[in-house]
Amino acid sequence: MEDFSGLLEAAAAARKNAYAPYSRFPVGAAVQTAGGRIFTGCNVENVSFGLTVCAERVAVFSAVAAGQKDLAVLALVADTPEPPMPCGACRQVLHEFNPAMWIVCADLNGKKRIFRLDELLPEAFSKF
Ligand code: THU
């Protein structure tokens, strides 16, 4: 399997753009399409805390806004003692586009964990 280093670099770069004045916990994400295109995201917080959007969703919505829905891999980077895991809400949003998406989680020391989305969100909600 590839090492996803390019995608992780893109996620780490996006993390620098995080707007996280409340949590002071910047997160970066990057999705790669089946065709190899990369879209990035960072968390964007709001003074009305519940309006905050996670880095993963920003990356996914950026890809979709560019007409790219065939998402193959999502990378996630944060400064955590262990590789960060995507939150439950983001797992459901990712699942919409590819239940078998690869999820690559990395901390700033380069420690990585790789999952398939359907192992992180078994029995996902679906109407179909
Ligand atoms: N956050 C993400 O960006 N992704 C996640 O998967 C979990 C949490 C953000 C939301 C908030 O801005 C900050 O991390 C602290 O929870």
Side-chain angles (χ1 to χ4, degrees), residues 4 27 34 42-44 55 60 73 84 89 96 101 103 109 114 121:
F4 302 117
V27 182
C42 58
N43 50 334
V44 181
V60 168
V73 190
E96 183 83 12
M101 198 182 301
I103 307 293
N109 296 318
I114 301 177
L121 191 68

Side-chain angles (χ1 to χ4, degrees), residues 1 9 13 15-16 28 33 36 38-39 54 60 65-67 87 91 93 97 99-100 102 111:
M1 195 189 292
E9 277 170 27
R15 178 177 166 275
K16 305 267 187 211
T33 67
I38 289 177
F39 296 87
C54 294
V60 168
C87 83
R91 293 179 197 197
V93 169
F97 297 103
W102 289 106
K111 187 170 176 189

